[in-house]
Each structure stands twice: as structure tokens, then as C-alpha cells.
Amino acid sequence: MEKTVPEKLTPLMQQYFDIKQQFTDTLLFFQVGDFYELFFDDAKIASAFLAITLTKRGKNNGADIPLCGVPIHALDHYLVKLIRGGFKVALCDQLTKPQPGTVVQRGITRVFTPGTLIDAGMLDDKSASYLLTFYPLPDRWGILFTELLTAQLFATTVPADSYRHIEAELIRFFPDEIILPKLKKIEHFDTYFKKMGYCTSFIDAHIQANDVQSEEEPKSSESQAWIEQQFPAQAVRTIHQQPAFEQSLTTLYHYLKRNQSASLEQFKSIQFYEPDDYLILDLATQKNLEIINNTQDGGRKNTLFSVLDHAKTPMGSRTIKKWLSRPLVQKTSIIQRQEVVKELVSNFELTRKLDDNLSNIADIERIIGRIALTRATLHDYSALKNSLSLMPKIKQLLSKLAHVPLAQAIAEKIADFTPLVQLLELSANDDTALSYTIKPGFDLELDRLRGLSTNGHEAILALEQQERIRTGISSLKIGYTHQTGYYIEITNPNLDKVPADFMAQQTMVGRKRFISQQLKALEVEILQATAQIEQLEATIFARVKLEVAHYLAPLRHAAQSIAYLDGLFGFAAAAHHNRYITPEFNDRQEIIISAGRHPVVEESLGHLFVPNNTNLTIDESLWVITGPNMGGKSTYLRQVGLICIMAQCGSLVPAQAASLPILDRIFTRIGSGDNVAQGKSTFLVEMEETAVICTQATSKSLVILDEVGRGTSTFDGIALAQAIIEHIFTQITAKCLFATHYHELTELAAMHPGIKNYHLASTKKGDQLLFLHKIEPGVAPGSFGLDVAKLAGLPHSITQRAKTILHQLQATSEAHQKPTQQSFLYHAAHTTSIDSDEEQLHQTIRNLELQVTQQQELLAQLTNLDINNLTPRQALEFIWDLKEKLNEKD
């Protein structure tokens, strides 16, 4: 908004400026009658984003005041667009009715920000909505994730400057909004988060100013009182022991107090966790394995989530999504989930009955959240009643799994809600044909007033008929408007028949409106009854709401239990549909998979998918995998990673059998991509991701690398690839799948016991290359790049020319092979291992690169030589020049 404020303001604009100053970073929707109006920069931004007309209203120091507006009845349509666009909106409503000579009182009634939404129409059914509060201290950075509708808090800290840790937590929770304290030197964090596509908001320092002791560690007695009041004593001690926790909670308190104050009293517990309490899946791994979002359009289609999400409720789907983002590392917890899934798969009748009941459960997790925040609708209460009525049946079904501890734990958290169901059944109106909130028969006084109201309307109709007979005007009618109340309307041709006791009220085109003493008396009686009905109905409904609120704690437990059960049901349905098996877990850190399948690709190919084995054991901890492009290397690499993730979520897996370790991290480097926004090339991004793997992977990790080193020159790439393999094998000792087209790397198997060569099999039928998609021991006979180029439809002339060049290069390479027949890789490896002379290794690489470059230049000259137009003298000169160059190389 423009900072210039006019010296003389109308009362309305003065009111606007006073309120806008409190919400400078928010679009202010200012109610004026039947419209919400926006002024100044807010109007320019909203009109451009929403494609609505920008107009003007009055002057600001001589300049027009920009204005745009939206009708109140269409507010939700525009709000959804703005919030999904990352904007924040404050609604400033009229609090009093317009009266002549007075200024309508206005105030902020609701604030909408991306991370504090609670309305069903603004939220994604299958995604939890998190608000991240980030507070950086010099030694530790505080991270606090908040889910308003479930009143859940997840808190952790990471060492300062741990940007990779931050990215890992962001991908786990994917917050809709990030809250930052408005401190000095915080701007770069704002830029950092925005570059990653997140919406950020600041909590102004002056909001916390009452108790600020220092800018680095602001203390608020108000927020401290909230912390001590809301959380258990042990949690409070933990909060006080870690300043980053304390400041994160303080910042959250002030932000919610301003934007969603009703939520503050709902938080009763806080879950402290360490990042490695879950399987660590960094940003690259989540992206490469397409766990939640695909790489094509960022949607859910063709992802692991889309395959496993067979839940019957939105909250069950959200639970599965949370599990996939945060797989477990505790074997006991994994097996507890696994046991329930296995039982549901084997017990068809039980699963069918659960399906019938869960299908009729509403999204009670969010409904209860809206009830807690006093934003629930009548429809919410009806949906809650219908869902709670199914709870006894679900508990009864779970009793058949008495031998499964987790199933019984779920059942025990579902309380008996019979009194609450009866209350809602008797009180909350679910008949859409009636405009009532409270059902007839629930309150005698309300029924009496409704009777009076109904009789009053019948009396109006009787009076209308009576006046028609008395006046002889058959077209006479009695109508009603909110502005003028009841009226008698007579058309102009009948005005001479109007009786003397009719008093003129309003002249219209072609007709005139009147009022009579009898009609006035009847109107007072009807309006009094109507007002009393509205007031009494609101009072009764408030009483019902208060009674429901008494059940909030057990309702939340029940909702979480049903969501958890539905997530397990979804896993079971996917396992049954896709023929998954129960994996076992070993303590040897071995990944042994028999006939494993890619869960997503299999859905597309069905029985055509070719299963493959994996045996990453103590004796074979690192596989170097070769084979043609399109041969299935990337699919195979991904399926191993996905099977391990599924197992640690508690899901069954696509294989004939599987014995797996409990991994602490899974790292992948698959495919290529640059980062233009940060000025990073494809190769730099590749090396950065590989650097993270080499510095953060452990002996309990799975590392998946595909084509590392291809983004630079051949010898540079081979050297880097070999060094990376050797580091992972000898220093980290992680299980590793390394796919490559550098066949030189296959010689490492002869140098290091434990490194084994595997390839994706293929065969040639005539000139046609056939992919067998089967992984087998040994080295692929080639990369078959030209064959793949043919399959891709590259013009025949290009592939033929490439074939000629390839033969020439191969012949040149063979002609200059050293007598010892030692490859570059073998020589480089032994140079390093024998005398550790790194400079000598680099010089060897540079010399060999130079030789290849010079040979390619000579070959190019010969290839481009036009023999038909060459004179004998030119031919002699060319041969002489060629001989001199060869002598120089010798």
C-alpha cells in the first residue's frame, strides 16, 4: 500500500488506514455493503491476479485511489485462488448495521494464510497442512512444524548452517507456510526459502516487544505462561533446556495469536524428534524415486503414493502420505504395522466389512479440528454423528484381531460416543428440505415459536384474500422486503379502488405500495416470533456445540485411530491387489530380494513386467551395473530403493521373498538436471548431490548412483567415478548399486573383493536390439548407443555416419594400445595404490586426454579430405604434413 496518507480523510478511509496498518503484508478485504473492497496496492495486486476490473474511488493527495472489489456471495471463489497463489488475506467485516449519521463499525474477523487454513474447500484432502516456524540461533536452528486442525506439534533442532538438514525436513513435511522472526540478518533465510518455492511470513519484532530482552533471544512472559499452561511438565523442561525450541514456540504463539487465536488452547502436547528418528530421504531421493510427486508435472500420478493409497477416507490417505515421507527405523514399530497389514490381507471377510464401514466415515480429523476452533458448520456436526455411529461396528471388527497388539491399541483409543451420537441425532437437523438448525421436537419453546411463525404466514395469506374481497382488486398482493417489511401492492389501474385506511408507502413503476394498521400489527407479531426463533435456535445450537466440545480429547484420539487404521487398510488393499509379500528383516545389513518388481511400473505393465533378484550381501556389497540405455537399469535401481522404503513404512512389498536391513538413509543420484536459478550446471548439481552422499552416508545406508561422472570429459568422469566407488566401498561400506556406461569401471571387481559386476541383459536379432530387462552377473557387451538411437527414430544417415565414426575411433584406440594391454583405469588405480602420487595420476590422465584429442583431430582431417579434387602436389603435401605430426607425437 502506498505510504502517503492524505491529510484529510473521510471516516471510512480513516477506518481503512487504521486497520491496514496492522496488516501491511496482507490483502485487506474491506466490507462496504454487499462487497469486499480493496484499495491502493492491494487493489492493483488483486485485480491483476484475479483478472477483475481495477477502478478508482476518491483522491489521495490529488491522485486517484485504486479500487477493486468482489461480491460477498462470491468471496470463497476468490479466496481459494488467492490463498493457493501464496497470498495472505484479512477479512474486515461490518460489525454494526448501517444507521443514518453514524459510521459503521468494522473489524478483522478472519485472517487467511496458507499455513493456517481450516476450511474444507481450501485444503487438499490428501495432504496435511503444516506451518513451519523457523528460528535460527547462533549454534542451533529451531524447527517447529504445526498442524492446526489436529493440534499436533513436531519440534527438532539442527546445527547452524545445516542447510541440507533443513531441506530434508522440508521435504518430509512440505509446509504451506514458513514463519520467520523479524530479526537482523534474517533476510537471506527469507530468500533461501522463497527460492525453493515456499511462502514466508514474518512476525514483527514489535509484536513481541513487551518482553523482548534481546533481539537474538526474545522472551515473552505471555508466551511463557502459555507454554507452561498447555504442555506437560517434562515437555516444559525440555523446552526450557533448548533455547531454539523456546524461541520457535514463542514465535508461533505470537503468530497464531494474531491470525488464529482460537487454536492456541488446543495444543496439549509436543513431539520432540531427531532427524534420524526416521529413515532419511533427502530432496534428491524423494524426487528421483517419485515417492509423493512425479517428475513430469509434480502431480501424484505414477508415484509410490498413488500405488499404495487405497485408503477409504481422506485422513487415511494423509496418513499413508506421512508414512511414506517419514519411514520408520525402529524394527518393533515396523513389525507392528506389518502384522496388522498381513492379517487384513489374509482375512478377506474382515477386510470387506472394514471397507464397508470405513467408506462411510467422513474426514472427522478435520471436522473435529473445526469444532475445536468454533468454525464447524451444521453439515460438519451431521457428518460427525454419522461417523461416530459406525465406531462400535469398527471396534467389534477389530476385536477379531485380539492377538495383534497394534489392532487392539487402535481399538482401545476409540471411546464409547453413544451419548454424543444421541444428542446430535436429536438436535442437529440433517433434513436439507428444512432451513432449521435444530430439529423439531428437541425444544418445546422453539417448537411453539415456530408454530406462531407458521400461523403468522398463514394469517398474511388470509389477510391478502380478505383485502382482495373487500376492495374488489383481484390483483392485490401482500409482499415483503428486508428494507421496508410487509406491504400491500396495487397496480395503477386499480388505484381508484384503494380504501381510505390504506397508507401510501412507496411509488413504483406501474404500481404503488401501501401499508395498513392491521398489516403492521400482524408484521410485528411475525417478526417478533422470527427474531425469537433465530435467537433461541442459536442459543440451543451453542449449547449443543459446548456439549460436543467436552468430548474433544477422546474425539481426537478416535480420529487418529481411525486414520491410522485406514492407512493400514490402504496398505493391505494395495498388497492384496498387487500380490505383495511380507518382508523379513535381518541384522546383517544385507538386501536380498527374490523376483523384486517396481511397484509403479508394474501397474502399467502388469504381467509383462520382468522381475529381478538383488543380493547385496557382505560378500557383494557394491554392484557395478552395465547395460544399454533403455535396458532397465534405472527402473531396477529405483525398485530396490522403493522396496526398502515400503518395508520400513510397514507395507508389504512387490517380490517373491525379501530379507532386508533397517536402513538409516537412502541416497540416490539418478538422471540429470541443472539449477538455472542458482547458476548451477548439470555437472555441478551432480557433484553436489554426490558430495552429500559421500559425506553423510553410513554403513547402514543404501546408495544408488546412476551415470555419475558423465557430465564432464571422459577421463575426468572415469577418474571421479572410480574414486567415488572406492570411497563408498572402502570408507563408508554402505550397500551400493552403481550403474554406468564406463566399462572401464568393471575392472574394479578384479581389484576389490566385494565389488561385483552385473548387467542388464540384451540380445541382437539381426540388426534389431532386444531388451531382456533381466539382471545377470557379468559385464554388458556394450552400451548399444547407436541401436538405441535407431529405436528413437534418429535419421538413418546420422546413425550410419555415427557407425563409421565409431569404427574409426575404435580402430585408432586399438592401434595406440600400450603393449602391456593395461587399461587407463588399471594403470590409474595402480599408480594411486603403489606410490600414492596424485600429481602423477593427474598427469597421466591429461596426457592420455591429449593423445585422444590429437588422434581425433587427425582422424577428422582424413575424414574430411576430398580425394577426387586433390592434385598430386596437394596430396604429397598432406602426407608429408601428416608424417611430421605423427613424428612429433612419438
Side-chain angles (χ1 to χ4, degrees):
M1 187 182 76
E2 285 87 343
K3 293 182 179 179
T4 304
V5 179
E7 294 180 3
K8 293 183 179 180
L9 294 169
T10 63
L12 183 141
M13 291 308 296
Q14 181 64 61
Q15 197 178 57
Y16 171 83
F17 274 105
D18 291 343
I19 295 172
K20 178 61 182 176
Q21 285 174 1
Q22 303 172 41
F23 294 88
T24 54
D25 63 341
T26 306
L27 297 178
L28 182 62
F29 275 55
F30 194 76
Q31 186 187 357
V32 181
D34 294 333
F35 279 79
Y36 282 110
E37 296 186 349
L38 298 96
F39 302 101
F40 298 101
D41 284 349
D42 285 3
K44 294 176 183 178
I45 293 169
S47 65
F49 188 81
L50 299 173
I52 57 179
T53 303
L54 180 67
T55 181
K56 58 187 178 181
R57 175 187 182 131
K59 299 286 185 180
N60 176 21
N61 291 331
D64 293 329
I65 298 175
L67 164 72
C68 72
V70 300
I72 289 178
H73 66 81
L75 174 66
D76 289 349
H77 170 73
Y78 293 108
L79 273 180
V80 170
K81 284 187 174 182
L82 288 170
I83 301 303
R84 288 180 179 171
F87 294 99
K88 290 161 276 190
V89 176
L91 292 188
C92 180
D93 287 315
Q94 294 181 175
L95 305 179
T96 58
K97 291 183 178 180
Q99 298 290 339
T102 63
V103 178
V104 175
Q105 295 300 307
R106 293 178 175 84
I108 300 296
T109 54
R110 295 193 66 186
V111 179
F112 299 88
T113 73
T116 59
L117 299 177
I118 59 176
D119 298 83
M122 295 183 183
L123 292 168
D124 182 347
D125 283 347
K126 296 195 175 188
S127 293
S129 179
Y130 287 109
L131 178 70
L132 165 61
T133 307
F134 177 74
Y135 202 101
L137 289 176
D139 58 337
R140 305 287 295 182
W141 290 351
I143 301 172
L144 178 67
F145 290 100
T146 307
E147 189 178 11
L148 284 189
L149 286 176
T150 63
Q152 290 182 316
L153 294 170
F154 300 89
T156 190
T157 65
V158 298
D161 299 322
S162 299
Y163 289 95
R164 291 291 181 179
H165 284 93
I166 293 292
E167 290 172 10
E169 297 313 300
L170 287 173
I171 199 67
R172 276 178 175 170
F173 289 87
F174 205 79
D176 291 312
E177 184 179 1
I178 298 176
I179 307 304
L180 301 169
K182 199 160 189 179
L183 305 173
K184 289 179 182 177
K185 300 179 181 179
I186 202 78
E187 291 79 6
H188 73 281
F189 287 110
D190 182 44
T191 303
Y192 169 71
F193 289 125
K194 282 180 176 175
K195 279 185 177 179
M196 289 193 288
Y198 291 98
C199 171
T200 61
S201 300
F202 285 97
I203 185 70
D204 291 336
H206 73 266
I207 293 178
Q208 304 180 30
N210 291 339
D211 304 287
V212 171
Q213 294 183 354
S214 73
E215 192 180 48
E216 291 298 327
E217 297 186 11
K219 299 279 186 179
S220 166
S221 59
E222 189 178 305
S223 63
Q224 291 299 311
W226 172 71
I227 290 171
E228 292 177 8
Q229 175 185 331
Q230 294 297 122
F231 302 110
Q234 180 56 49
V236 173
R237 283 193 292 272
T238 302
I239 292 166
H240 289 329
Q241 288 167 3
Q242 182 54 264
F245 286 152
E246 197 166 7
Q247 302 316 319
S248 296
L249 275 167
T250 297
T251 303
L252 175 69
Y253 171 82
H254 287 288
Y255 190 78
L256 292 182
K257 183 183 177 184
R258 180 191 183 199
N259 296 322
Q260 195 64 263
S261 59
S263 67
L264 288 170
E265 65 181 35
Q266 299 304 316
F267 297 104
K268 304 293 184 183
S269 64
I270 182 168
Q271 181 177 329
F272 302 102
Y273 74 97
E274 294 295 331
D276 57 5
D277 286 347
Y278 303 100
L279 175 66
I280 293 177
L281 304 169
D282 65 4
L283 180 60
T285 300
Q286 289 264 12
K287 179 181 176 182
N288 292 331
L289 297 183
E290 298 182 295
I291 297 172
I292 304 298
N293 304 105
N294 64 49
T295 55
Q296 284 73 45
D297 59 8
R300 296 178 186 135
K301 186 178 180 182
N302 298 326
T303 62
L304 181 61
F305 177 52
S306 70
V307 172
L308 294 180
D309 181 23
H310 285 248
K312 310 306 293 185
T313 70
M315 54 188 178
S317 295
R318 292 194 299 271
T319 299
I320 291 175
K321 189 174 181 181
K322 291 175 183 177
W323 289 347
L324 292 177
S325 298
R326 286 166 263 171
L328 301 172
V329 293
Q330 295 295 327
K331 185 176 178 179
T332 303
S333 300
I334 296 170
I335 291 177
Q336 284 180 342
R337 287 185 192 172
Q338 194 184 84
E339 287 174 343
V340 177
V341 175
K342 187 167 55 174
E343 288 289 336
L344 293 178
V345 170
S346 62
N347 193 330
F348 176 78
E349 185 61 21
L350 172 62
T351 306
R352 184 187 64 78
K353 291 179 179 179
L354 270 178
D355 188 336
D356 292 341
N357 285 279
L358 289 172
S359 297
N360 291 297
I361 298 283
D363 193 350
I364 57 173
E365 194 173 49
R366 286 183 168 172
I367 287 173
I368 294 164
R370 285 193 288 274
I371 289 173
L373 300 177
T374 67
R375 299 299 303 179
T377 63
L378 178 61
H379 174 74
D380 285 332
Y381 285 94
S382 295
L384 177 64
K385 175 204 68 178
N386 295 333
S387 299
L388 293 179
S389 66
L390 297 171
M391 297 295 183
K393 298 177 184 176
I394 292 174
K395 286 195 71 168
Q396 184 181 9
L397 290 172
L398 289 175
S399 68
K400 297 179 181 180
L401 299 177
H403 57 292
V404 183
L406 181 57
Q408 288 312 296
I410 291 172
E412 288 170 6
K413 287 190 175 182
I414 302 175
D416 181 5
F417 296 104
T418 302
L420 182 55
V421 172
Q422 291 174 345
L423 171 66
L424 292 173
E425 179 65 41
L426 292 171
S427 61
N429 175 47
D430 50 12
D431 184 353
T432 55
L434 298 174
S435 60
Y436 301 157
T437 300
I438 302 300
K439 276 184 177 178
F442 183 72
D443 186 270
L444 293 177
E445 177 61 15
L446 184 59
D447 290 344
R448 185 186 71 80
L449 290 173
R450 282 174 177 161
L452 288 176
S453 178
T454 300
N455 293 336
H457 288 300
E458 291 175 354
I460 289 289
L461 293 175
L463 178 62
E464 182 182 70
Q465 185 62 28
Q466 173 188 320
E467 293 294 3
R468 284 177 180 176
I469 295 171
R470 181 168 77 93
T471 62
I473 304 172
S474 59
S475 60
L476 180 149
K477 68 177 182 180
I478 297 177
Y480 177 83
T481 68
H482 287 289
Q483 289 77 23
T484 61
Y486 286 98
Y487 59 83
I488 301 169
E489 187 171 275
I490 298 175
T491 57
N492 287 349
N494 295 303
L495 290 178
D496 58 337
K497 300 178 183 179
V498 172
D501 60 329
F502 278 18
M503 294 169 284
Q505 186 190 55
Q506 191 175 11
T507 300
M508 314 289 288
V509 177
R511 60 196 186 280
K512 200 168 184 178
R513 291 176 179 175
F514 298 85
I515 190 70
S516 68
Q517 290 295 338
Q518 188 176 2
L519 182 59
K520 273 187 174 182
L522 194 53
E523 178 183 40
V524 169
E525 182 181 339
I526 293 171
L527 292 180
Q528 283 180 344
T530 302
Q532 287 177 323
I533 289 170
E534 291 177 357
Q535 185 177 0
L536 182 56
E537 195 171 34
T539 301
I540 295 170
F541 194 32
R543 206 161 58 233
V544 172
K545 289 178 180 179
L546 185 61
E547 187 63 29
V548 174
H550 290 153
Y551 287 84
L552 277 177
L555 282 172
R556 285 197 191 277
H557 290 311
Q560 290 169 5
S561 296
I562 295 298
Y564 204 99
L565 174 63
D566 194 25
L568 295 171
F569 173 89
F571 276 177
H576 173 76
H577 178 73
N578 297 310
R579 301 172 291 110
Y580 294 167
I581 57 92
T582 305
E584 297 177 351
F585 293 98
N586 64 68
D587 298 324
R588 304 181 305 278
Q589 289 304 117
E590 294 185 335
I591 300 175
I592 303 173
I593 301 170
S594 174
R597 312 186 301 274
H598 192 295
V600 182
V601 177
E602 181 190 28
E603 278 218 335
S604 301
L605 297 181
H607 68 281
L608 297 176
F609 187 88
V610 179
N612 273 301
N613 298 335
T614 303
N615 290 286
L616 284 169
T617 64
I618 296 173
D619 297 327
E620 297 185 14
S621 65
L622 191 150
W623 286 13
V624 175
I625 303 172
T626 53
N629 285 310
M630 297 295 296
K633 292 195 302 296
S634 292
T635 298
Y636 175 74
L637 297 176
R638 287 179 170 93
Q639 83 181 34
V640 174
L642 290 173
I643 286 172
C644 291
I645 290 170
M646 291 170 69
Q648 289 190 220
C649 289
S651 169
L652 307 193
V653 300
Q656 284 185 358
S659 178
L660 304 169
I662 303 295
L663 299 169
D664 63 352
R665 293 163 170 81
I666 295 179
F667 293 104
T668 65
R669 166 95 266 290
I670 301 174
S672 61
D674 54 21
N675 191 329
V676 177
Q678 296 184 19
K680 296 180 180 180
S681 67
T682 300
F683 183 65
L684 179 57
V685 171
E686 175 185 323
M687 287 297 101
E688 284 184 340
E689 292 180 2
T690 307
V692 171
I693 295 170
C694 291
T695 56
Q696 296 185 11
T698 74
S699 60
K700 295 182 178 181
S701 302
L702 170 63
V703 176
I704 297 173
L705 297 169
D706 188 16
E707 300 300 338
V708 169
R710 299 295 291 186
T712 184
S713 68
T714 302
F715 291 137
D716 275 357
I718 294 173
L720 283 167
Q722 180 187 348
I724 290 165
I725 289 175
E726 290 175 342
H727 180 78
I728 293 171
F729 180 75
T730 62
Q731 303 300 316
I732 301 175
T733 68
K735 296 297 180 288
C736 178
L737 299 174
F738 194 104
T740 184
H741 282 295
Y742 290 139
H743 280 241
E744 295 86 346
L745 296 175
T746 59
E747 296 179 23
L748 286 170
M751 304 174 200
H752 299 283
I755 296 180
K756 300 297 178 182
N757 292 323
Y758 282 82
H759 71 285
L760 268 297
S762 61
T763 186
K764 274 204 156 188
K765 189 174 182 180
D767 289 336
Q768 187 176 6
L769 179 66
L770 299 178
F771 302 119
L772 302 181
H773 302 292
K774 199 71 179 173
I775 192 141
E776 296 178 350
V779 181
S783 294
F784 304 103
L786 300 188
D787 297 277
V788 175
K790 280 189 210 175
L791 290 174
L794 208 61
H796 179 71
S797 59
I798 294 177
T799 56
Q800 284 300 109
R801 173 61 178 153
K803 189 175 182 180
T804 301
I805 295 171
L806 177 62
H807 289 325
Q808 292 171 343
L809 290 173
Q810 288 173 338
T812 302
S813 176
E814 289 171 4
H816 289 80
Q817 190 88 22
K818 295 293 183 184
T820 60
Q821 294 298 310
Q822 286 182 324
S823 70
F824 156 74
L825 176 66
Y826 186 85
H827 175 74
H830 282 270
T831 301
T832 304
S833 61
I834 294 172
D835 54 20
S836 300
D837 189 349
E838 187 175 349
E839 180 56 36
Q840 183 180 344
L841 173 61
H842 286 197
Q843 187 60 46
T844 302
I845 295 171
R846 286 193 291 270
N847 290 340
L848 289 169
E849 283 186 314
L850 181 60
Q851 289 177 21
V852 171
T853 302
Q854 291 169 339
Q855 290 164 6
Q856 289 175 341
E857 289 174 357
L858 294 176
L859 185 61
Q861 290 180 30
L862 284 169
T863 304
N864 297 325
L865 193 63
D866 188 356
I867 298 174
N868 294 326
N869 295 316
L870 204 64
T871 67
R873 181 180 177 83
Q874 288 173 329
L876 185 60
E877 288 176 350
F878 180 82
I879 293 171
W880 186 267
D881 184 59
L882 184 61
K883 185 175 184 302
E884 284 187 345
K885 288 182 178 178
L886 289 172
N887 288 337
E888 289 175 5
K889 292 166 182 47
D890 293 338

